[in-house]
Amino acid sequence: MSYPRNRMTKVTKPLLRLPPKRAKTIARLPPQWQCYTPLNSILPFSHSPSQLPSRLLSSHLFKPFSSTAFSQSKKRFASSLAMDSSGVSSFPENPVGLDRVCEEEYTSQSRLLQEFTEIATIDKAWAFTSSSGYGSKGMFAISQPNLLANVRRRYILSSHISNRSSDSVSFEWAPFPVEMTGVFTIVPSPSGSKLLVVRNAENDSPTRFEIWGPAQVEKEFQVPRSIHGSVYADGWFEGISWNFDETLIAYVAEEPVPSKPTFTCFGYKKGNTTEKDMGNWKGQGEWEEDWGETYAGKRQPALFVINIISGEVQAVEGVGRFLSVGQVVWAPAAENSNQYLVFVGWPSDARKLGIKHCYNRPCALYAVTAPFSKSQATNSGDNASKDVAVIALTQSISSAFFPRFSPDGKYLVFLSARTAVDSGAHWATNSLHRIDWPADGKPGQSGKIVEVVPVVMCPDNGCFPGLYLSKIPSKPWLSDGSTLILSSIWGSTEAILSVNALSGQVSQISPSNSNSAWGLLALDGDSIIAVSSSPVDIPQIKYGVLAGKASKDAKWSWLDVTSPISRCSEKVRSFLSSRQFDILKIPVRDISENLTKGASKPYEAIFVSSKSQKNDMRDPLIVVLHGGPHSVSLSGFSKSLAFLSSLGYSLLIVNYRGSLGFGEEALQSLPGKVGSQDVNDVLAAIDHVIDMGLADPSKIAVMGGSHGGFLTTHLIGQAPDKFAAACARNPACNLSLMVGTTDIPDWVYVESFGSEGKSIFTEVASPENLTAFYNKSPVSRISKVETPTLLLLGAKDLRVPVSNGIQYARALKERGREVKVIVFPEDAHGLERPQSDFESYLNIGVWFKKYCS
């Protein structure tokens, strides 16, 4: 038991024997005061000094208590009791690390943050032809943080869509959303007549599959753990696909739990099972690699098919454990031929490196015969084994994922991250490819791969910078059968594109004069349901209508959709209306002959400020830095950043060279130069807004997470006089420490040495490489740091383990620097749990207010 300092408590138990003078003093107090004493002068009698830890006996709890100190305490008690009579709680206790002024700031800021937190997020959308033949049906998956439960509430909101002309559309919304309690994921059937609802198992319970019709649950199946574990729906291994007649569903789930050794009081028990029994216990068995960050403890993803008529579940044969599978789709059915599944496979028989946000992991497309195929059931012997053999479809390319068949089934398109795989950068510019599908429905390994959209090395000003996709819709095609609709990063924005899979023609169809971010939600026939937002505009649903046929010069009109989802409090709306943003072009400093053309072009920064800001009264500035480093900060709405802006700050959100969306040459200029080129880009962006008269050089704070935290801690070491306050979320502070503990040690090599790092990567770094990693790290500049620094860390972070941030904080404290550390015990790298996200940004707001007002 511990006893906090200066806490007032009411004691009803007998007390330890007090010194005579102190006992007499207490006896002279009025009766109502005698039961209230400072906790650092008493302890419950049940805890004798001999029972207490020695460190407690030597602490302030047993220091002499002078009559002067007691008199002062007595006055404080009287004041507190007087407050009690007015209805205010007696004897307030400030949380650890907070004084009264700081606590008041917490109170006011938390109320404001709550208003931003409550804004709903549109996660997905689907559109189907209406059964009445009039208009169409829309279904929207939306979510909101539930702070008390520390989970996200998930809802479904439906709408009837009527589009009579190119200049009007009507969405008739259901009066209320329906909460999907306990639901892991939902996937509508292609026709929209059925809905698959998956409820993943907890502990040893079975996974539940529910098939919903228009008015009720029509089927329910429970799949025990002996068949498979939880279904994957993570956006990467995720793959749930209905077949064309809506009788079979292919999906990806954890393989069943392997048998582990059993022990009893007599020792090892033969005949191991996965079952638990009284009188024995299960051993751990052999440790297995997983896919790192967010996949800790998850077993290998495997393919399964469920027959929704019978409820029978079968594992897909022929794949084996040498592949981790995901993103499964059904191949077009052909007469007198087996049905095939096409999926993405990642080699898993060697070292598994972290895969989240890492597109540089080699992968390929494969085809395999699906269970329940008619001809499969009639085969036997050697013919059957041949039919279930896995067929490699993309042997000639190092990366292939997101497979999508054309509506007529004549070809298959897919995305490739071969530039990331070949260079070692964790994300890079994508390319789009096509494979013709055999007319007889029998895939082979000799198919020719056609490049549809190549990697863009150095885009001309204002032109298409290349593909940067994190997903492709399950139904991305217009009715012409050859045009895909995609949303892709374009500089500091996101744009909606049309791509002709035959000609390779790419066109931007979201408004080209808009600096907002445009994301694709779903296709409604040849119309588009999209979402648009900006740093000063909450997400709004837009409806794109095509005038005429899809072509290079096709005209799209964009209509506003009134939606109950796009709502916020009047306070938030009023604040956002007072803000403005712009995307600034930042010239590159010190252009050398060694730089490529793409790396010499200006990079971008998003600047958010007050509309009424005057030159002589400039708001303090927060510099915001994304992680990666091969990621990007988009010009979309961020609740967290809008909250910080609402506290009276301007925001400078820097997309330094190496960010996505600016062509491959600019991106590849950074590996090997982290800690120098990216740091100089940020400093140049800050100087740029100072020179423009947009920022006060004496009131600048900086914040970032992951590689953004690496930059933050580098900046306060390289430019110690520039920043009044800093915050780093799970920062990579010491690469020589990180390389031996992270799930992506190859990242340390590539970002430190460039593409050469890919070839010299090894699990045990040499002393020379460890020295190089240290010299690249912020910790090497720690002696120069003067800036008060807040560190927010996730204890379960596998990407940048918590030891990195703790070591940096201890080194700062050792040097007498102002530092505060908050560790979230159940969070991984992203600090995404609702309570953790809320507390993080609340602490950032209070910290910056304290040091950068």
Side-chain angles (χ1 to χ4, degrees):
M1 179 179 286
S2 62
Y3 299 90
R5 286 186 171 186
N6 299 328
R7 178 178 170 187
M8 313 312 299
T9 185
K10 183 172 181 176
V11 179
T12 56
K13 294 183 179 181
L15 307 180
L16 285 174
R17 190 186 318 172
L18 300 175
K21 288 185 179 179
R22 192 176 307 171
K24 289 180 182 178
T25 307
I26 293 176
R28 287 197 297 269
L29 291 173
Q32 70 267 30
W33 289 1
Q34 291 183 21
C35 59
Y36 289 95
T37 59
L39 191 59
N40 62 355
S41 68
I42 60 171
L43 286 172
F45 184 70
S46 58
H47 294 278
S48 69
S50 62
Q51 295 173 310
L52 296 173
S54 58
R55 62 182 174 82
L56 194 59
L57 289 168
S58 61
S59 74
H60 63 281
L61 295 175
F62 289 90
K63 291 180 180 177
F65 192 76
S66 67
S67 59
T68 302
F70 189 84
S71 176
Q72 293 171 347
S73 295
K74 174 179 169 183
K75 292 178 181 178
R76 288 197 298 270
F77 302 160
S79 175
S80 296
L81 289 171
M83 290 179 63
D84 187 61
S85 66
S86 65
V88 181
S89 178
S90 303
F91 310 107
E93 177 189 347
N94 291 330
V96 175
L98 294 183
D99 56 29
R100 184 170 295 279
V101 174
C102 199
E103 190 174 29
E104 289 298 322
E105 198 63 44
Y106 262 79
T107 302
S108 62
Q109 288 197 25
S110 65
R111 290 170 182 162
L112 181 59
L113 179 56
Q114 181 75 34
E115 303 219 20
F116 284 95
T117 302
E118 290 171 352
I119 299 172
T121 301
I122 305 171
D123 298 321
K124 292 181 180 178
W126 301 266
F128 314 99
T129 303
S130 175
S131 56
S132 66
Y134 169 70
S136 54
K137 297 180 295 182
M139 189 167 74
F140 295 79
I142 57 180
S143 63
Q144 259 183 321
N146 181 345
L147 289 174
L148 289 179
N150 204 17
V151 296
R152 291 192 70 82
R153 283 195 177 102
R154 302 188 184 278
Y155 310 88
I156 292 294
L157 183 62
S158 299
S159 177
H160 185 271
I161 305 170
S162 303
N163 174 224
R164 296 186 177 88
S165 66
S166 61
D167 58 359
S168 70
V169 65
S170 172
F171 278 59
E172 298 175 15
W173 297 94
F176 301 103
V178 177
E179 184 169 8
M180 306 297 285
T181 306
V183 172
F184 181 66
T185 190
I186 61 171
V187 182
S189 66
S191 68
S193 62
K194 300 181 180 72
L195 179 70
L196 169 67
V197 175
V198 179
R199 301 180 191 272
N200 260 346
E202 292 185 6
N203 301 321
D204 294 325
S205 303
T207 299
R208 288 168 52 192
F209 290 81
E210 300 168 1
I211 308 299
W212 292 22
Q216 62 187 12
V217 176
E218 297 180 348
K219 301 268 187 174
E220 181 176 345
F221 310 106
Q222 298 196 19
V223 183
R225 289 277 178 165
S226 58
I227 295 178
H228 64 66
S230 296
V231 173
Y232 274 91
D234 60 342
W236 197 234
F237 293 120
E238 172 183 5
I240 300 178
S241 179
W242 291 77
N243 73 339
F244 299 97
D245 64 8
E246 301 185 357
T247 59
L248 303 173
I249 301 173
Y251 60 97
V252 179
E254 293 183 61
E255 64 182 8
V257 178
S259 178
K260 294 184 177 181
T262 304
F263 300 93
T264 70
C265 57
F266 301 105
Y268 175 72
K269 179 182 178 182
K270 292 184 179 180
N272 295 319
T273 68
T274 58
E275 310 255 336
K276 291 183 177 178
D277 194 7
M278 295 293 291
N280 63 41
W281 77 91
K282 289 292 178 184
Q284 293 303 309
E286 185 177 356
W287 174 78
E288 289 191 18
E289 295 267 12
D290 56 40
W291 285 104
E293 175 70 17
T294 73
Y295 294 100
K298 292 188 74 68
R299 295 185 300 282
Q300 180 154 319
L303 271 180
F304 299 86
V305 174
I306 184 170
N307 184 318
I308 68 167
I309 307 300
S310 65
E312 183 182 358
V313 175
Q314 289 189 21
V316 176
E317 297 181 4
V319 178
R321 301 194 79 249
F322 69 96
L323 288 176
S324 290
V325 303
Q327 302 176 19
V328 61
V329 296
W330 290 88
E335 249 185 278
N336 302 319
S337 174
N338 284 335
Q339 279 193 288
Y340 284 88
L341 295 170
V342 172
F343 63 92
V344 182
W346 290 264
S348 57
D349 51 353
R351 166 77 150 96
K352 290 178 183 175
L353 295 166
I355 201 168
K356 188 176 179 66
H357 302 309
C358 292
Y359 290 77
N360 56 330
R361 307 300 175 220
C363 57
L365 297 186
Y366 298 87
V368 67
T369 305
F372 305 107
S373 293
K374 293 178 182 178
S375 58
Q376 184 191 35
T378 62
N379 286 331
S380 61
D382 292 339
N383 289 333
S385 64
K386 287 179 182 177
D387 281 343
V388 297
V390 172
I391 302 166
L393 301 175
T394 57
Q395 288 180 314
S396 61
I397 194 168
S398 58
S399 170
F401 54 98
F402 291 154
R404 298 292 184 268
F405 280 96
S406 61
D408 59 10
K410 291 183 177 180
Y411 55 87
L412 172 70
V413 297
F414 63 89
L415 211 60
S416 176
R418 60 181 178 177
T419 52
V421 173
D422 298 345
S423 68
H426 68 92
W427 199 349
T429 315
N430 302 138
S431 51
L432 186 71
H433 303 262
R434 184 184 76 239
I435 302 175
D436 290 335
W437 196 253
D440 62 3
K442 297 179 180 179
Q445 297 182 351
S446 57
K448 180 184 177 183
I449 298 176
V450 178
E451 186 175 63
V452 177
V453 180
V455 170
V456 176
M457 299 303 294
C458 179
D460 293 331
N461 293 337
C463 294
F464 173 59
L467 289 175
Y468 302 89
L469 305 179
S470 58
K471 60 183 177 181
I472 293 181
S474 57
K475 296 194 290 185
W477 302 94
L478 295 183
S479 60
D480 66 354
S482 61
T483 302
L484 299 102
I485 303 299
L486 309 169
S487 53
S488 178
I489 296 166
W490 188 308
S492 297
T493 70
E494 186 176 18
I496 299 177
L497 311 176
S498 70
V499 179
N500 189 298
L502 299 178
S503 68
Q505 178 64 46
V506 179
S507 302
Q508 180 179 352
I509 59 176
S510 54
S512 58
N513 60 349
S514 172
N515 277 340
S516 298
W518 288 70
L520 173 64
L521 290 175
L523 294 186
D524 180 20
D526 276 350
S527 298
I528 299 173
I529 303 174
V531 61
S532 172
S533 70
S534 81
V536 299
D537 298 291
I538 65 171
Q540 300 286 332
I541 296 175
K542 304 287 185 177
Y543 195 78
V545 180
L546 173 63
K549 295 182 178 180
S551 67
K552 175 184 176 182
D553 302 316
K555 301 296 182 183
W556 289 82
S557 58
W558 291 95
L559 309 176
D560 295 332
V561 175
T562 302
S563 159
I565 307 171
S566 306
R567 291 180 181 172
C568 60
S569 70
E570 188 56 40
K571 188 174 184 179
V572 169
R573 189 174 302 279
S574 174
F575 160 72
L576 292 175
S577 67
S578 70
R579 312 301 280 181
Q580 61 186 354
F581 83 101
D582 194 11
I583 297 178
L584 308 176
K585 300 285 186 182
I586 314 296
V588 175
R589 284 180 178 173
D590 305 323
I591 298 176
S592 68
E593 294 180 357
N594 296 327
L595 282 181
T596 60
K597 181 181 177 182
S600 303
K601 290 193 167 189
Y603 52 99
E604 292 181 350
I606 304 165
F607 186 72
V608 184
S609 62
S610 170
K611 290 179 180 178
S612 59
Q613 185 173 227
K614 298 177 181 178
N615 288 336
D616 57 342
M617 291 289 290
R618 290 161 293 181
D619 291 334
L621 177 71
I622 300 176
V623 180
V624 182
L625 306 172
H626 66 72
H630 310 301
S631 180
V632 67
S633 293
L634 293 174
S635 60
F637 184 72
S638 163
K639 292 186 279 189
S640 304
L641 295 185
F643 159 71
L644 293 177
S645 180
S646 73
L647 299 176
Y649 296 94
S650 296
L651 305 178
L652 182 66
I653 307 166
V654 184
N655 286 319
Y656 44 87
R657 283 174 296 165
S659 302
L660 301 176
F662 298 90
E664 189 66 8
E665 286 185 355
L667 186 144
Q668 293 292 349
S669 71
L670 183 55
K673 302 175 185 175
V674 292
S676 53
Q677 177 178 295
D678 45 5
V679 169
N680 290 332
D681 282 355
V682 176
L683 292 174
I686 296 170
D687 290 343
H688 185 77
V689 294
I690 291 174
D691 293 343
M692 292 176 68
L694 301 175
D696 183 341
S698 67
K699 295 186 292 184
I700 299 176
V702 60
M703 61 176 283
S706 192
H707 187 81
F710 170 90
L711 282 177
T712 296
T713 47
H714 248 307
L715 284 160
I716 60 176
Q718 293 192 36
D721 299 328
K722 208 169 192 76
F723 302 99
C727 172
R729 292 162 52 101
N730 286 323
C733 300
N734 186 348
L735 301 185
S736 60
L737 172 63
M738 178 180 167
V739 72
T741 56
T742 178
D743 65 331
I744 53 167
D746 59 321
W747 178 93
V748 178
Y749 280 82
V750 171
E751 298 303 336
S752 296
F753 299 126
S755 57
E756 178 192 350
K758 183 172 181 283
S759 60
I760 65 173
F761 163 61
T762 177
E763 292 290 348
V764 181
S766 68
E768 295 78 17
N769 286 345
L770 288 173
T771 300
F773 297 150
Y774 180 84
N775 291 335
K776 287 276 186 181
S777 302
V779 74
S780 67
R781 313 289 185 106
I782 200 163
S783 62
K784 297 182 179 179
V785 174
E786 301 287 344
T787 307
T789 303
L790 170 66
L791 294 169
L792 304 169
L793 310 174
K796 293 187 176 180
D797 188 350
L798 300 180
R799 184 69 28 112
V800 184
V802 67
S803 54
N804 243 253
I806 294 294
Q807 182 193 52
Y808 190 81
R810 285 172 172 164
L812 287 178
K813 288 183 177 180
E814 185 179 54
R815 289 160 174 79
R817 304 298 182 259
E818 185 74 18
V819 61
K820 178 177 180 178
V821 181
I822 300 177
V823 177
F824 299 96
E826 297 301 320
D827 276 81
H829 191 57
L831 303 183
E832 293 169 342
R833 289 155 58 89
Q835 291 177 1
S836 306
D837 181 72
F838 186 91
E839 189 175 351
S840 291
Y841 281 94
L842 177 58
N843 274 279
I844 293 170
V846 173
W847 189 259
F848 286 173
K849 187 82 170 185
K850 182 177 181 180
Y851 294 104
C852 188
S853 296

